[in-house]
Amino acid sequence: MLSVFHRLSERLQLALDLSFPEAAAAAREAGRPLDPQLVAASKPEFGDFQANGALALAKPLRRSPRDVAAAIQAQLLLDGPFLELCLEPEIAGPGFLNLRLRPEALAAEVAARLADPQRLGVPSVGPETAPVIVDFSSPNIAKEMHVGHLRSTIIGDALARVLEFRGHQVLRLNHVGDWGTQFGMLITHLKQVAPQALTTADAVDLGDLVAFYRQAKARFDADETFQTTAREEVVRLQSGDPVSRRAWQLLCEQSRREFQAIYDRLDIRLAERGESFYNPYLEAVVADLDAAGLLVLDEGAQCVFLEGVSGKEGKPLPVIVQKSDGGFNYATTDLAAIRYRFAAPPAGDGAHRVIYVTDAGQASHFAGVFQVARRAGWIPEEARLEHVPFGLVQGEDGKKLKTRSGDTVRLKDLLDEAVERCEADLRRRLAEEGRAESEEFIHHVATTVGLAAVKYADLSSNRTTNYQFSFDRMLALQGNTAPYLLYAVVRIAGIARKGGDGAETNIQGRQPLAASTAESFSLHFSEPQEWALVRQLLDFDAVIAAVEDELLPNRLCTYLFELSQVFNRFYDQVPVLKAPPAGRQSRLALCRLTADTLKLGLGLLGISTLERM
Ligand code: ARG
């Protein structure tokens, strides 16, 4: 109800100005107008909103808080536009003003949303030209794309979808690890054990490539001669040696295809812009930092020492920008990326917000890199630069997620298993219910529910905590799970089929309740469960605004889960199809708005819904 909130804010502001003209003028002069402190009511008993400003104003005005509240209340009672929205405000406790919206105002909001099924009252910021960058997924070539990357992929996609929905131009960047020492090791090792992999596309399996990488890493750690050769190989690659380049390209292409298969399956779009993209800008990073007087030569390496961050012996910690051998590292690439992303086009992306979605283990890396970038002056004043960390994915034993045989879990197997389990559950249920469905139906439902469950489990836990991966929990029909939410949508679709609302009934020749006609009859609500559902539905825009700001997809999940619960309570306790005509129409309208809200909300989480399951 953000628009109502803003309208009420204005009315309260005006009431303050009129009640305390001198104080209000002085406060405005000082650039800090009196604040009515309007917030959503902390409990339903308090109404819809409460204004807490009287408490803070009491002291400077030298009046009791209840006195101040009474003065504001008196003004509001004279204000026509306010009274169109709200019932008489009540003073509560030490001086809170409780505001309750008029039933007609709530019904009008519901009608407005019904007439706007695409946006459901969420305004769009567009047209925005400065993009928001979401840097997510970002696996490493020739290494395993693991569950941590899956989490980043799922969370990053949901955030990107919410930002896009809000009208931002979003660059979804896959900062693939396609550069660095790993290629030196891998190419050196492959030259000896599988040279064909360096000259012929797909000569070895990606799985094998990962195994080769592991062997190479082991040799690198144990064998000094190998180390030297690998380092020389990196130099060759970086200096553009055609043979090394070709080998590198082959390795990248192969990994890329494997990653793409996962993205396709999850219906996630990403633009690859790997670390190698920033190679041409690395020197400039060092030069810029030098010009800004930030570089310190420490044990042969070019460093920037961090302010306010110290290591073990109380010494400030450095961000190493250039190693003693002249090489650059992960942090240098990230510095170059930040510099490029905020730089005005055509020399950069001209972003106004850059978001990184990685595991919490990289928090200090980003804190360091962000600080250096700020001190270098690369971040425009109003711009936002944010790390969105998430916890580790653990097995049900609380340890790192592993297969029964102790191997790392392959993402493909993980998704397959979710879908297979759904299919088995579905077949069992169909048999129990004596229902016959086509193989196509079974396949479609199992795939939709399985992938939804994996995504939703990831998104619904507070992302900052570690998260225990459990098929049983994510596939449960009860609780805060994808199947529970998908069922709510299916349930409403069923009501609509029986009730003459929605497209499917149209096929049967009954009158659909089209969006455009929603306003042509007036909505009437009487039962407390109806009002509870109305209020929950009208919260949608505020939740989207919160997710956009705080980048916590679990807030949207919690909201949708609560919406389903409130809906189920409503539907269990209030007759819909058997209600008398006037009430029936209003209740069916609530059903439809619930379905629209769930579908849109789940869609923003990257989850598609079903009509039947
Ligand atoms: N490739 C890194 C990893 O696998 C993640 C990169 C995240 N993005 C970034 N700009 N550093 O851990």
Side-chain angles (χ1 to χ4, degrees), residues 135 138-140 149 175 177 275 330 334 356 358 362 365-366:
D135 172 322
S138 309
N140 303 312
H149 294 123
H175 191 81
E275 294 182 12
Y330 185 52
D334 261 325
Y356 297 81
T358 78
Q362 300 198 34
H365 161 76
F366 283 111

Side-chain angles (χ1 to χ4, degrees), residues 79 92 176 211 234 254 257 293 305 308-309 387 397 502 530 537 556 610:
D79 183 5
V176 172
V234 177
Q254 197 165 349
R257 248 177 294 126
F305 282 93
V309 194
H387 179 219
D397 54 3
E530 283 177 294
L537 284 166
L556 179 53
L610 296 159

